[in-house]
Amino acid sequence: DFNIIMSVGMVIIYIFILSANSLLITLFLDTVHDLRPLQSGLPLLLVALLQLLATPFCAFLVLKADTRLLCATGVLLMGLACYQGTFITADWVAADFFPMAILFAIGHPLVFLSRAMPCSCCSSGSGRICTSARQAAA
């Protein structure tokens, strides 16, 4: 029961974090600068293209590195992007969102792919502590 509650909680937090990336730029530019979504769509298009390019690279990393480390790196990148979002002022324009959006675009596939793959050091499923991690901790 505890594992299910923790899994559902993590999914809710993950979706909440990702909603900031998809809604922040367009809603901010619409509200503050009175731009329509089509006028502020170029940054989101560039982020989507970057995410398409970053995903195969992240998939390669997932096959070669420890998935737990990659997941933590992805969450850290997304957290840094959220932290950058706390400094938004009315002076921001679409181009000012690029550093934040780039961090999201790289962090998202790292987290998503690393949680979908089994641990790289053994064949235990993701979400479980593998036997080599237990032995290293002992």
Side-chain angles (χ1 to χ4, degrees), residues 82-118:
C82 289
Y83 180 71
Q84 285 181 342
T86 62
F87 297 105
I88 294 175
T89 65
D91 297 332
W92 277 42
V93 293
D96 294 332
F97 287 95
F98 283 132
M100 181 174 32
I102 288 170
L103 289 175
F104 262 115
I106 296 170
H108 176 251
L110 274 177
V111 172
F112 184 76
L113 292 174
S114 65
R115 297 312 305 154
M117 297 294 293

Side-chain angles (χ1 to χ4, degrees), residues 56-74 109-111 113-124 126 130 132:
F57 178 69
C58 292
F60 174 76
L61 285 177
V62 165
L63 294 175
K64 300 295 181 188
D66 187 5
T67 55
R68 296 166 295 179
L69 180 63
L70 292 176
C71 184
T73 303
L110 274 177
V111 172
L113 292 174
S114 65
R115 297 312 305 154
M117 297 294 293
C119 179
S120 60
C121 57
C122 64
S123 60
S124 70
S126 63
C130 65
S132 61

Side-chain angles (χ1 to χ4, degrees), residues 4 8-9 17-18 20 22 26 28 36 48 50 64 66 68 71 74 78 101 103 108-109 116-117 126:
I4 293 172
V8 170
I17 290 172
L18 289 181
S22 61
T26 54
F28 176 83
R36 294 183 182 152
L50 177 64
K64 300 295 181 188
D66 187 5
R68 296 166 295 179
C71 184
M78 291 177 10
L103 289 175
H108 176 251
M117 297 294 293
S126 63

Side-chain angles (χ1 to χ4, degrees), residues 5 16 18 22 27 30 38 42 44 61 74 101 104-105 108 111 125 127 134:
I5 293 170
F16 179 73
L18 289 181
S22 61
L27 290 176
D30 178 38
L38 283 176
L42 181 63
L44 292 177
L61 285 177
F104 262 115
H108 176 251
V111 172
R134 283 190 202 133

